[in-house]
Amino acid sequence: MPIYDVFNGDADGICALIQLRLAEPAETTLITGVKRDIALAQQVPAGEPARVNILDVSLDKNRGAVDTLLAAGCSVFYVDHHFPGDELPDSPNFTALIDTQPTTCTSLLMDRHLGGRFHNWAIAAAFGDNLNAVGEELADQAGLSADQTEALKTLGVCINYNGYGASVEDLHFHPADVYRECVKFKDPLELIDSAPAAWQQLRDGYEADMSRGLAAPVLSETATSLVVKLPDEAWARRVSGVLGNELANRNPDKACAIVTRSAGNIYLVSIRAPLNNRSGADEVARQFPTGGGRKAAAGINALPEGQLDQFLKVVAAFWA
C-alpha cells in the first residue's frame, strides 16, 4: 500500500515528519510546499487505498479532500494544532492528534505520541514556531546547555524562515529537500555540529533578510498593534513570517502584522497575537476570504489592496 507524507513546509511540519520517519522508516511520497500552501491533501491521489499522514495543516482547510480519501478506503493519520472545523470525520480509518492550545505545536504533539524519542527535534520546532518560553523550558528539563539551547533555537528559526515565500522559487531550498537532509540526523545537534554548507547558506540568508526586514517602514502602530509593510521582493516574502515573530518578541503587549505587497495589487499577511495574550490571530485572519491559522499566529494569503484599510482597522480594534 502506498504511503503519502503530507506536511507543512515550515519548521513544525518538517520536524514533525522527521520524528515520525525516524521512528517508522518507510519509503513514502512527500507532498509539501511553501508554508502558506496548506491545501495539500487534495494532491494525494484518491484512486486507490493508501496510508496518508497529514502534519501541521488545518483540517478545516483540507476537510473535503480528507473525506474523499476516507471514502476511497485510505487510512488517515492527522496531527495538527490549527483550527480543525466544527467536528472531526467519523470514520474508523481516521486517527487524529489535534490540540489548538497556543502553547503547543504539531512537533510537540508528535513528540508526545512517540514518547520523546527524538525530543531535540521537537524543541527545535517549538523555537521555530516562536514558542520560545516552551522551548526554553523543555531544553532546561532535558539538561541542555545554554549553547545547545541557542543552537536548537537558531536551527528551528532558520528552518521556519525557509518555508516562507509566494512560491518555492522564493526559498533557499525546497521544504522536501530540507526534510531529506535533516532526517539523516537522529539529533539536530549532530546536524549543527557537522556544519553542512546548506546550513551555513540558510543561516546567512536568514541574517541578511532579517536585517533588511527590521528596517522596513511601519504602516500603522497603536498601543496594542503594530503593522509593518514589505515590498514585492523575494527577500521580503522569505522573511515575513520570522520577522513577525521577532517583532512580537520585541513588543509582547502588541499584536504584530506584516503585510507584503504581491503581484496584482494584493498583499500577503502574517499576523501574530500579542505574546502576553496569545489568542485572536485566527479570528482576525478568518474575517477575510483567504485567511486562516491558529490562535497565536495566522495569515491571509491574498488581501486585496482595497481591503488594506479595513484590515488595519480590524487589527487596531480587535486587541484594543
Side-chain angles (χ1 to χ4, degrees), residues 7 11 13 40 52 68 76 109 114 116 129 141 199 224 229 285 287 289 297 308:
F7 60 104
L40 296 172
V52 184
T68 298
V76 177
L109 297 177
L114 297 175
D129 225 31
Q141 292 173 353
W199 165 231
T224 58
K229 183 179 180 180
Q287 294 186 41
L308 180 58

Side-chain angles (χ1 to χ4, degrees), residues 157-237:
V157 168
C158 287
I159 293 176
N160 207 54
Y161 151 78
N162 182 73
Y164 282 88
S167 66
V168 293
E169 286 73 24
D170 284 339
L171 312 183
H172 293 284
F173 305 102
H174 194 291
D177 292 332
V178 174
Y179 159 76
R180 291 188 183 100
E181 288 302 310
C182 290
V183 77
K184 298 175 182 177
F185 299 89
K186 292 185 177 181
D187 187 333
L189 292 173
E190 296 174 1
L191 181 154
I192 296 167
D193 288 342
S194 69
W199 165 231
Q200 186 64 49
Q201 177 183 338
L202 188 57
R203 186 169 56 184
D204 290 348
Y206 164 78
E207 292 174 353
D209 288 351
M210 182 61 81
S211 178
R212 299 177 74 176
L214 289 172
V218 173
L219 187 62
S220 173
E221 185 170 12
T222 71
T224 58
S225 66
L226 172 65
V227 182
V228 170
K229 183 179 180 180
L230 296 179
D232 181 12
E233 297 182 23
W235 73 265
R237 293 188 290 272

